[in-house]
């Protein structure tokens, strides 16, 4: 067990794709840091190497493949995660992000809240070259029709070029981590018609069509999709701005919980109903499993130089293990590099001011 | 049975609030115009006077209180409802809207699609004085926690002053038609924090706060609400732009159907489960009834000089009867006038160019 609080960040080191290490922030989980460590032990038993950042005194002995860095300070519940991430270099999430930035680990998992992960990740791991904005993607537990929605809240506003990149980022996630060979990507709108929707959606639709004209390997663009299509299996990835995506995600969670709660209440309302509920329980079990958000590891922080995964704070060890295993898979399959190459091939990378100038000089010269 | 296809529209006549008449477009219902007429008969049996616009040959004999105007031409399925409403004066929805504009009826019900109702209503009934934009409001069938969402798609984009008016329009609907004495109004966002959200939401929040400062009778402003709050009972009315609202509405419908379908499938998956499902059916019945969208009459077209109600095309006579009864109630309780007076008191009416100029002259003079 060592302590580390240096604030010097070196550039991201080249990736050892053979054996990625996952840096895990243990603070912030509802069940406590030890539950995250228990998840890490499960992942380690499947061969994944993990560095845990959390209170060593609460984490105890770890199995082979799991290292502990004592980092008791948590900013998981900070009211302003951005300033907390800046001003608290000793915080576990900041140390974990720095370990990734320094090449000691190749992916980040943060049990301590999306805001802290986003801030610490952006400051330390930094955006990947040519990416305008990071995005949060979440694989939704829709029975038989899994779909990944992004952005679910990294940015409250989006521009055309952001949404275009989100399509490529989400497709690369679906391909590498979720195992969809050629993802179908849709653009969330109030109509399937290309000419309707907000001004942003109309221009993004056209830009995406232009980027994929002639066919690309990265994904298939299925056009605009409506709210109901999120659960209809028409797309593997659905792109939207972080404002709309965040509302959609929380609405889905709320509606699911409300309906399942009402079914549960109905099954407790009389002796007859109770018996019915008991008999039905087994058959509903499989369905509940499909709805289980822990199976998908949580939210994915895309657009940085390394992949981040943010399991929900209420997860158990099973969910934390999934998050770590999927983070490792994303690093091993080079999610970031695949995103980059697809964006480059489509001409959708942000050009640095210098290269934009050079290109403009070439054109006019 | 008379036919009417004149295109001359006189100004909206003063309202006879004692005995409102409801103009009903019968074309476009999945079950056919006769099903809408059957709904009208139910409403008439409760004392509501109705004028039906539809194919007289399919509508048959009507009870006392129900008049039929032969209007067989339908634009319910028109690909471009706006141009269809302009170019088809003989269409049933155009005739019904004109009857309202001319004061022969005091509210409009349209079974033939939102687009057609919105276009025909806007052209013929016209916006109420001082209203920027009409909005579509829909009372959501959330068990034990009914909530009205607007705009669900009349406009794909909204500005600050539109959202402010939507709050007053939704509150007046909740008060007069849905029976909520002092509605709690929330603003849909990706966070409950006033300082977060899209730029539009942040400025609308501030503008609403300013409008209700010191307390108003029209409603209570509960601030920003998140996606999950739509089903959490924290507000009676939730305001958003038509892009977000439309996505939220269709997403809710999709998620509800998916989950209820999965429960149904589970209850058919084995003999044991089938028996459980049978025993549970009675208890689930009440819950299904609460989820029934027909109970709320459909969507409400607000912001015109008279109230419009758009029941869903798949409704049965029960839903059409509800739509007609609620349209009548909105007219009787003067929903439009109440909206107007609350907006006026809050200084949130659009000023005509002339009066704006006059005000500016007074200020500078």
């Amino acid at each position: 067990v060592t302590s580390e609080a240096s604030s010097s960040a070196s550039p991201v080191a080249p990736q050892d794709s053979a054996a990625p290490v996952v840096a895990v922030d243990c603070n912030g989980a509802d069940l406590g840091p030890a539950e995250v460590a228990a998840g890490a032990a499960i992942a380690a038993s499947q061969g994944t190497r993990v560095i845990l950042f959390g209170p060593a005194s609460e984490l105890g002995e770890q199995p082979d493949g799991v290292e502990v860095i004592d980092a008791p300070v948590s900013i998981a519940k900070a009211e302003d995660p951005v300033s907390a991430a800046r001003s608290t270099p000793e915080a576990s999430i900041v140390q974990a992000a720095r370990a990734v930035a320094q090449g000691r680990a190749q992916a980040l998992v943060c049990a301590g809240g999306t805001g802290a992960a986003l801030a610490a990740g952006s400051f330390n791991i930094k955006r990947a070259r040519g990416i305008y904005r990071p995005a949060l993607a979440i694989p939704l537990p829709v029975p038989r029709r899994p779909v990944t929605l992004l952005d679910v809240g990294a940015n409250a506003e989006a521009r055309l070029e952001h949404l275009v990149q989100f399509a490529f980022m989400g497709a690369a996630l679906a391909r590498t981590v979720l195992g969809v060979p050629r993802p179908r990507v849709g653009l969330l709108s109030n109509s399937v018609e290309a000419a309707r929707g907000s001004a942003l959606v109309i221009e993004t639709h056209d830009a995406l069509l232009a980027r994929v004209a002639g066919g690309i390997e990265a994904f298939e663009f299925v056009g605009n999709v409506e709210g109901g299509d999120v659960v209809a299996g028409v797309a593997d990835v659905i792109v939207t701005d972080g404002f709309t995506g965040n509302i959609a995600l929380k609405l889905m969670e709320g509606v699911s919980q409300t309906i399942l709660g009402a079914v549960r209440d109905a099954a407790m309302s009389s002796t007859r109903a109770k018996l019915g509920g008991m008999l039905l329980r087994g058959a509903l079990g499989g369905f509940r499993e499909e709805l289980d958000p822990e199976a998908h590891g949580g939210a994915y922080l895309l657009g940085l130089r390394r992949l981040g995964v943010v399991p929900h704070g209420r997860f158990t060890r099973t969910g934390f293990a999934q998050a770590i295993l999927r983070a490792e898979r994303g690093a091993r399959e080079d999610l970031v590099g695949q995103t980059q190459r697809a964006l480059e091939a489509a001409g959708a990378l942000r050009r640095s001011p210098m290269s934009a100038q050079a290109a403009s000089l070439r054109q006019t010269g």
Side-chain angles (χ1 to χ4, degrees), chain A residues 129-196:
Chain A
R129 184 179 58 81
I131 297 287
Y132 292 97
R133 294 278 186 88
L136 274 169
I138 195 150
L140 297 168
V142 183
R144 292 184 302 277
R145 295 157 182 165
V147 59
T148 297
L149 184 67
L150 83 166
D151 174 22
V152 296
N155 316 283
E157 311 247 17
R159 293 203 308 267
L160 160 67
E161 57 271 29
H162 306 162
L163 292 180
V164 168
Q165 289 197 339
F166 293 173
F168 286 83
M169 288 154 63
L173 174 71
R175 248 186 0 258
T176 57
V177 175
L178 307 173
V180 183
R182 186 154 184 269
R184 297 161 303 158
V185 175
L187 181 64
L188 192 58
S189 183
N190 56 327
S191 166
V192 295
E193 288 170 44
R196 288 185 58 198

Side-chain angles (χ1 to χ4, degrees), chain A residues 29 63 86 95 119 132 134 140 163 206 230 247 252 310 318 345 365:
Chain A
R86 280 198 190 280
Q95 291 199 49
Y132 292 97
L140 297 168
L163 292 180
D206 291 348
V230 173
I247 289 170
M252 282 191 78
V310 189
T318 318

Side-chain angles (χ1 to χ4, degrees), chain A residues 23-323:
Chain A
V24 177
D25 170 23
C26 295
N27 282 316
D30 292 358
L31 296 172
E35 188 72 15
V36 184
I42 296 170
S45 74
Q46 296 182 34
T48 300
R49 293 190 296 154
V50 178
I51 310 177
L52 296 177
F53 294 81
S57 61
E58 292 181 46
L59 297 178
E61 283 298 301
Q62 299 305 320
D64 276 359
V66 180
E67 185 189 344
V68 172
I69 309 260
D70 189 29
V73 176
S74 171
I75 58 166
K77 312 289 180 207
E79 276 198 16
D80 181 349
V82 173
S83 76
R86 280 198 190 280
S87 63
T88 323
E90 70 278 20
S92 52
I93 179 58
V94 178
Q95 291 199 49
R98 220 164 42 228
V100 174
Q102 292 164 349
R104 293 166 59 200
Q106 284 70 45
L108 177 71
V109 168
C110 172
T114 310
L118 186 56
S122 299
F123 296 151
N124 293 285
I125 306 177
K126 302 200 183 333
R127 273 175 300 166
R129 184 179 58 81
I131 297 287
Y132 292 97
R133 294 278 186 88
L136 274 169
I138 195 150
L140 297 168
V142 183
R144 292 184 302 277
R145 295 157 182 165
V147 59
T148 297
L149 184 67
L150 83 166
D151 174 22
V152 296
N155 316 283
E157 311 247 17
R159 293 203 308 267
L160 160 67
E161 57 271 29
H162 306 162
L163 292 180
V164 168
Q165 289 197 339
F166 293 173
F168 286 83
M169 288 154 63
L173 174 71
R175 248 186 0 258
T176 57
V177 175
L178 307 173
V180 183
R182 186 154 184 269
R184 297 161 303 158
V185 175
L187 181 64
L188 192 58
S189 183
N190 56 327
S191 166
V192 295
E193 288 170 44
R196 288 185 58 198
S198 64
L200 174 64
V201 161
I202 292 171
E203 62 176 13
T204 302
H205 182 106
D206 291 348
L208 274 171
L209 268 190
R211 295 298 186 195
V212 302
I216 55 167
E217 254 181 84
F219 61 87
E220 176 194 352
F221 179 51
V222 298
N224 290 2
V225 300
E226 298 183 357
D229 293 329
V230 173
V231 293
V234 302
D236 304 298
V237 174
I238 293 181
V239 171
T240 189
D241 63 274
F243 178 80
T244 312
N246 184 277
I247 289 170
L249 174 67
K250 290 175 184 163
L251 181 62
M252 282 191 78
E253 290 173 346
V255 172
S256 306
Q257 283 163 18
T258 300
I259 295 183
L260 291 175
V263 171
R264 208 167 25 237
D265 288 353
M268 295 302 288
S269 60
S270 71
T271 310
R272 180 192 166 98
K274 274 183 198 165
L275 181 59
M278 265 171 54
L279 291 169
L280 201 51
R281 193 167 300 156
L284 282 174
F287 158 63
R288 273 172 182 280
E289 216 160 84
E290 281 193 286
L291 278 184
D292 177 17
E294 298 208 12
H296 300 277
Y300 290 79
L301 178 50
L302 305 176
L304 303 183
R305 295 187 203 180
R306 293 284 182 267
L307 174 61
V309 185
V310 189
H312 201 288
R314 64 164 182 260
F315 276 11
T316 65
R317 59 193 65 191
T318 318
F320 295 125
Q322 272 302 320

